Amino acid sequence: MNIPTMASMMAEGKKPEILFWVGCAGSFDDRAKKITRAFTKILNEVEVNYAVLGTEESCTGDPAKRAGNEFAFQMAAYQNIEVLNAYAVKKIITTCPHCFNILANEYPELGGDYEVIHHSTFLQQLIDEGKVKMKGGGEFKGRRITYHDSCYLGRANGVYEAPRKVLEALDTELVEMKSCKTKGLCCGAGGAQMFKEDEPGVKRINAKRAEEVTDSKADIVAVACPFCMTMMKDGVTSDDPQAHSVKVFDLAELIAHGQGLEDIGM
């Protein structure tokens, strides 16, 4: 794939309009890498002038911050801010709500002031502008899709409608789970919970969320977060046999499939 880096573009005397912040999950997690590839295929298809940092990108420090290690967070943040400001970055797009939240809301006070957009909002803009069009091959005909609200996208930043607008572009039926939007149920990974053992309890949060998926009678769960992807995928393959047929995809994967850019195995 032709994915330019900031360093290579600068060496050619070019400056990208947008920096695509890939994030740790999108770089290293095998499932999240598929989201990264799908999104970059969309960016390439609509000829967005973008670049990635590549090996110059480091963790935003979000897990350290949520786990209470302010020192480690600031060390990571200052390192990233130094790189971003050196390239005079103005606009950042990311597929991770955790990266989105911390870059948009917590980097400015440390000297990193950028326009940060989550890919759900950016995809909605591309669809509204007519740059992204579905092929209409009926891939989603008769499918029921439900959307899982990411805590760091929804309740933390109020982004509820953009992901749903993106899904409306597909030839499918959008159904809501019992806990949605402002009353959405966490997948269980946020706040650095992804990296620690479960606390004592009767049922895992993602298993409970999978029950709501089953109740909605959806056969696809759309997510907009690599953390939610992991938790929802584990949830629908856990104790509830009725949820085992449910597939979990990111918004970018669904749109790329609808454009004929990616075969996600529907």
Side-chain angles (χ1 to χ4, degrees):
M1 294 182 65
N2 181 25
I3 303 176
T5 63
M6 292 292 290
S8 64
M9 291 194 75
M10 287 296 184
E12 296 173 5
K14 300 176 183 178
K15 185 177 179 182
E17 178 188 350
I18 294 169
L19 170 69
F20 172 30
W21 186 275
V22 181
C24 299
S27 299
F28 301 112
D29 180 79
D30 286 341
R31 182 62 187 87
K33 286 178 190 176
K34 295 179 181 180
I35 302 170
T36 302
R37 284 195 291 268
F39 187 57
T40 51
K41 284 182 179 181
I42 295 170
L43 295 178
N44 289 337
E45 178 71 11
V46 299
E47 300 181 344
V48 173
N49 182 18
Y50 78 101
V52 299
L53 284 173
T55 55
E56 291 186 280
E57 182 186 300
S58 298
C59 178
T60 60
D62 174 77
K65 174 85 172 180
R66 303 305 159 217
N69 194 331
E70 182 67 22
F71 176 75
F73 157 64
Q74 291 199 17
M75 288 287 288
Y78 280 128
Q79 178 180 333
N80 286 322
I81 289 168
E82 184 177 356
V83 172
L84 291 168
N85 289 351
Y87 284 121
V89 171
K90 301 297 182 186
K91 189 173 183 178
I92 300 173
I93 291 175
T94 180
T95 56
C96 177
H98 299 256
C99 295
F100 165 71
N101 178 71
I102 207 161
L103 288 169
N105 299 322
E106 298 182 56
Y107 268 42
E109 63 183 17
L110 300 178
D113 198 1
Y114 320 104
E115 179 188 359
V116 187
I117 302 174
H118 185 259
H119 79 305
S120 60
T121 300
F122 190 67
L123 288 172
Q124 182 204 0
Q125 292 173 357
L126 292 177
I127 292 169
D128 289 348
E129 292 169 3
K131 295 179 179 179
V132 167
K133 296 179 181 178
M134 301 298 102
K135 291 208 168 188
E139 294 90 346
F140 298 100
K141 194 73 174 178
R143 298 274 190 169
R144 288 170 62 90
I145 295 183
T146 189
Y147 173 67
H148 167 74
D149 288 284
S150 162
C151 297
Y152 281 82
L153 189 60
R155 286 180 292 176
N157 288 282
V159 180
Y160 296 111
E161 296 308 317
R164 289 170 169 82
K165 291 288 186 183
V166 171
L167 293 174
E168 286 176 4
L170 306 175
D171 187 17
T172 184
E173 180 184 358
L174 178 61
V175 294
E176 295 287 1
M177 284 183 271
K178 177 183 177 182
S179 304
C180 63
K181 298 186 179 179
T182 57
K183 296 182 179 179
L185 182 64
C186 177
C187 71
Q193 297 296 307
M194 184 83 161
F195 307 104
K196 60 182 284 293
E197 294 299 323
D198 292 337
E199 295 171 9
V202 177
K203 185 179 295 183
R204 299 189 75 194
I205 295 177
N206 57 342
K208 181 174 177 56
R209 190 59 162 158
E211 291 177 356
E212 293 198 0
V213 174
T214 302
D215 291 342
S216 73
K217 293 182 172 53
D219 49 12
I220 296 175
V221 181
V223 297
C225 171
F227 287 70
C228 294
M229 169 65 74
T230 297
M231 300 302 284
M232 293 305 297
K233 189 171 180 295
D234 288 350
V236 298
T237 55
S238 59
D239 299 332
D240 187 356
Q242 294 184 42
H244 288 192
S245 62
V246 177
K247 295 185 177 181
V248 187
F249 295 110
D250 185 86
L251 295 175
E253 293 179 299
L254 293 168
I255 294 300
H257 184 80
Q259 285 186 283
L261 303 175
E262 185 91 330
D263 183 3
I264 59 176
M266 296 285 290

